[in-house]
């Protein structure tokens, strides 16, 4: 196994880090990549007011998910330096990784400045006994001559060293220091993953003081995405787009449709124990089926989080609450969110085009078809159908004369 090791303060992790990780994973190529936030960086002090190590690790997790999707390899965040305590020396980390993965071919990833100063690190010879060096630069004009000189120097001192250098295909001209200076002014967003920026907003990091209950639609979008796994982001953005279209066509409140769409899956990534704990904390009553079904739970907990954290009103919370099962006598906004979730542009299943046409011809006819398809799908998979879904279907059928 070829294992990449990419450490740093990640204060915060930005697109430069992300693109470097993806490019190195493809160039080497790697089978697995570990992103390792430093507990206490040995070469510099963390900036004043920097997020604690756990928050930096949380933000690095967003980068890991996106890198895994893009590079199509396993990417994980390791907390070994955080848990080890003291200054986070690379040699200690590689020694530990060598014990954990004795048969792995280790590659240490680093930027230009780290590569050019490598000989001054603690125990460089021992580091090279464990891992090869893969350094990435911003442009051939700026770095290739420096890279060539440093390669020659290191190989003269340590002839058995494994050294690879590469020029990043996607240039991101920003340092973490520069980025941190921009964030309190509401700038620098283009240098961050949307999820990372949303996490910064909702955790009030780097001087952010926004009131989460009074966010603009764009600010809410960032915050909402920070609750998601990377693979779910396109879906939620698709639901937002679809919900706005349907709200405009059928006269629902467009702003409320947007908010409900953005937040409808905000607790989807929580596991069962976390979902149940949130229900208990928020006083959410559950039936027997809901207690064991994540798909059902996330609608109720999502509505609670939207209300408590973002100040969503009851119309929005109700649309989130019913977006999975539906219910009898749904409001127009509830129908819009239920169907937007079903037919958003990323959905691709047998019958989706027929359902889309039906929804845009008549909202209620589309809802009837959607509920029937949901019941038939669950029945075919041998899964229990929630009573609310059956009641929703029977109600809408009666409204159309039992068709």
């Amino acid at each position: 196994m070829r294992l990449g090791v990419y450490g740093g303060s990640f204060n915060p992790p930005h697109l430069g880090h992300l693109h470097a990780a993806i490019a190195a994973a493809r160039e080497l190529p790697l089978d697995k990549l570990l992103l390792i936030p430093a507990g206490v960086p040995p070469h510099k002090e963390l900036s004043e007011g920097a997020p604690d190590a756990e928050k930096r690790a949380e933000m690095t997790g967003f980068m890991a998910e996106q890198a895994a999707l893009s590079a199509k390899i396993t990417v994980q965040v390791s907390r070994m330096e955080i848990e080890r305590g003291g200054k986070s020396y690379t040699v200690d980390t590689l020694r530990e990784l060598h014990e954990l993965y004795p048969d792995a071919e280790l590659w240490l990833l680093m930027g230009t400045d780290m590569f050019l100063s490598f000989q001054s690190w603690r125990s460089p010879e021992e580091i090279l006994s464990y891992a090869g060096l893969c350094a990435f630069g911003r442009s051939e004009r700026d770095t290739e001559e420096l890279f060539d000189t440093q390669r020659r120097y290191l190989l003269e001192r340590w002839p058995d060293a494994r050294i690879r250098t590469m020029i990043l295909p996607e240039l991101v001209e920003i340092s973490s220091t520069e980025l941190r200076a921009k964030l309190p002014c509401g700038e620098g967003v283009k240098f961050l993953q949307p999820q990372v920026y949303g996490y910064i907003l909702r955790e009030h990091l780097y001087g952010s003081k926004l009131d989460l209950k009074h966010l603009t639609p764009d600010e809410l979008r960032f915050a909402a995405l920070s609750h998601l796994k990377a693979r779910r982001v396109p879906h939620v953005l698709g639901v937002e787009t679809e919900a706005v279209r349907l709200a405009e066509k059928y006269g629902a409140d467009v702003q409320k449709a947007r908010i409900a769409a953005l937040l409808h899956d905000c607790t989807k990534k929580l596991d069962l124990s976390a979902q149940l704990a949130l229900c208990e904390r928020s006083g959410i009553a559950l039936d027997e089926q809901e207690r064991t079904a994540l798909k059902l739970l996330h609608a109720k907990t999502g509505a609670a989080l939207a209300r408590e954290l973002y100040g969503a009103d009851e119309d929005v919370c109700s649309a989130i609450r019913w977006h999975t099962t539906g219910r009898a006598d749904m409001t127009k906004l509830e129908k819009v969110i239920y169907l937007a979730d079903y037919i958003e542009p990323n959905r691709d299943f047998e019958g989706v085009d027929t359902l889309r046409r039906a929804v845009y011809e008549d909202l209620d006819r589309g809802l009837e078809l959607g509920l029937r398809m949901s019941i038939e799908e669950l029945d075919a998979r041998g899964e229990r159908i929630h009573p609310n879904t059956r009641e929703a279907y029977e109600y809408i059928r009666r409204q159309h004369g039992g068709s």
Side-chain angles (χ1 to χ4, degrees):
M1 176 177 68
R2 185 170 287 183
L3 175 63
V5 181
Y6 189 11
S9 302
F10 298 128
N11 182 32
H14 54 66
L15 292 180
H17 298 127
L18 175 63
H19 293 163
I22 295 169
R26 290 170 173 166
E27 176 80 10
L28 284 168
L30 298 176
D31 299 300
K32 182 176 180 177
L33 173 61
L34 294 179
L35 303 177
I36 308 182
V40 180
H43 58 287
K44 62 182 178 181
E45 296 290 329
L46 285 170
S47 59
E48 184 178 354
D52 62 31
E54 286 300 326
K55 284 187 169 61
R56 288 186 287 111
E58 286 285 330
M59 289 188 285
T60 306
F62 294 122
M63 181 169 74
E65 289 182 358
Q66 187 57 57
L69 285 177
S70 299
K72 296 180 173 57
I73 63 168
T74 299
V75 184
Q76 296 174 341
V77 175
S78 169
R79 287 174 164 78
M80 64 169 54
E81 292 188 353
I82 297 171
E83 294 169 357
R84 190 166 64 227
K87 289 191 174 181
S88 301
Y89 289 107
T90 299
V91 66
D92 297 329
T93 299
L94 289 176
R95 191 182 298 127
E96 186 176 345
L97 287 172
H98 180 66
E99 293 176 0
L100 289 170
Y101 303 95
D103 298 324
E105 178 184 325
L106 299 179
W107 283 89
L108 181 63
L109 314 186
M110 63 186 67
T112 303
D113 293 343
M114 293 294 99
F115 179 60
L116 297 179
S117 64
F118 176 75
Q119 60 272 16
S120 67
W121 289 22
R122 172 175 287 197
S123 305
E125 185 172 7
E126 187 177 356
I127 289 174
L128 290 170
S129 73
Y130 296 129
L133 306 184
C134 178
F136 27 78
R138 289 188 291 268
S139 71
E140 189 167 357
R141 183 185 69 253
D142 293 341
T143 55
E144 185 48 42
E145 185 176 348
L146 293 172
F147 274 176
D148 185 57
T149 301
Q150 180 70 344
R151 272 195 307 267
R152 292 173 184 272
Y153 171 76
L154 294 178
L155 288 171
E156 284 176 5
R157 288 192 63 178
W158 299 290
D160 295 330
R162 292 177 288 129
I163 300 174
R164 295 276 293 272
T165 58
M166 57 180 291
I167 304 302
L168 294 177
E170 294 188 67
L171 180 63
V172 179
E173 286 281 10
I174 192 70
S175 71
S176 295
T177 302
E178 294 169 331
L179 181 54
R180 289 193 298 271
K182 291 177 177 291
L183 288 171
C185 308
E187 301 174 359
V189 180
K190 66 180 181 179
F191 299 108
L192 293 167
Q193 283 178 261
Q195 292 162 285
V196 171
Y197 185 61
Y199 184 87
I200 289 170
L201 293 183
R202 67 181 172 92
E203 293 293 330
H204 301 111
L205 306 180
Y206 305 110
S208 170
K209 296 181 174 62
L210 290 177
D211 180 354
L212 297 183
K213 289 183 168 61
H214 296 89
L215 298 177
T216 67
D218 287 342
E219 291 164 345
L220 178 64
R221 185 178 300 107
F222 285 119
L225 297 183
S226 74
H227 294 281
L228 307 174
K229 291 185 177 181
R231 66 175 182 269
R232 185 153 294 274
V233 168
H235 165 69
V236 168
L237 293 178
V239 175
E240 179 194 9
T241 299
E242 200 70 54
V244 168
R245 288 193 194 122
L246 289 173
E248 289 175 342
K249 178 174 177 61
Y250 291 111
D253 188 302
V254 173
Q255 183 79 336
K256 290 183 179 183
R258 187 184 300 278
I259 295 169
L262 287 170
L263 294 174
H264 81 283
D265 275 351
C266 62
T267 59
K268 183 87 171 183
K269 74 175 184 180
L270 300 181
D271 62 21
L272 184 61
S273 61
Q275 295 272 4
L276 291 173
L278 203 162
C279 287
E280 184 174 355
R281 187 169 67 249
S282 301
I284 298 172
L286 300 173
D287 60 35
E288 179 187 355
Q289 189 174 348
E290 289 168 337
R291 288 187 178 279
T292 58
L294 280 171
K295 185 175 182 180
L296 300 179
L297 278 173
H298 88 277
K300 283 191 166 183
T301 56
L305 188 145
R307 179 186 301 107
E308 295 164 11
L309 188 59
Y310 296 106
D313 69 18
E314 287 309 308
D315 291 341
V316 168
C317 293
S318 184
I320 296 171
R321 164 69 183 86
W322 299 109
H323 84 269
T324 298
T325 63
R327 69 178 179 99
D329 197 16
M330 295 169 74
T331 67
K332 188 174 291 185
L333 182 62
E334 291 165 3
K335 295 172 185 177
V336 162
I337 299 303
Y338 179 91
L339 289 168
D341 183 41
Y342 215 147
I343 65 169
E344 58 93 1
N346 298 290
R347 295 291 198 192
D348 183 18
F349 56 86
E350 186 177 353
V352 68
D353 289 332
T354 299
L355 179 57
R356 287 184 179 123
R357 286 193 295 272
V359 169
Y360 277 91
E361 288 170 3
D362 183 288
L363 187 66
D364 285 347
R365 290 290 187 185
L367 178 62
E368 180 182 353
L369 177 58
L371 287 164
R372 186 174 79 236
M373 290 173 66
S374 180
I375 290 170
E376 290 172 350
E377 179 188 4
L378 291 169
D379 191 53
R381 295 203 306 251
E383 296 183 22
R384 291 175 64 188
I385 299 162
H386 196 275
N388 288 326
T389 303
R390 290 194 183 278
E391 291 171 9
Y393 178 58
E394 292 303 325
Y395 181 89
I396 201 73
R397 284 185 70 237
R398 288 195 299 273
Q399 294 299 106
H400 291 105
S403 61

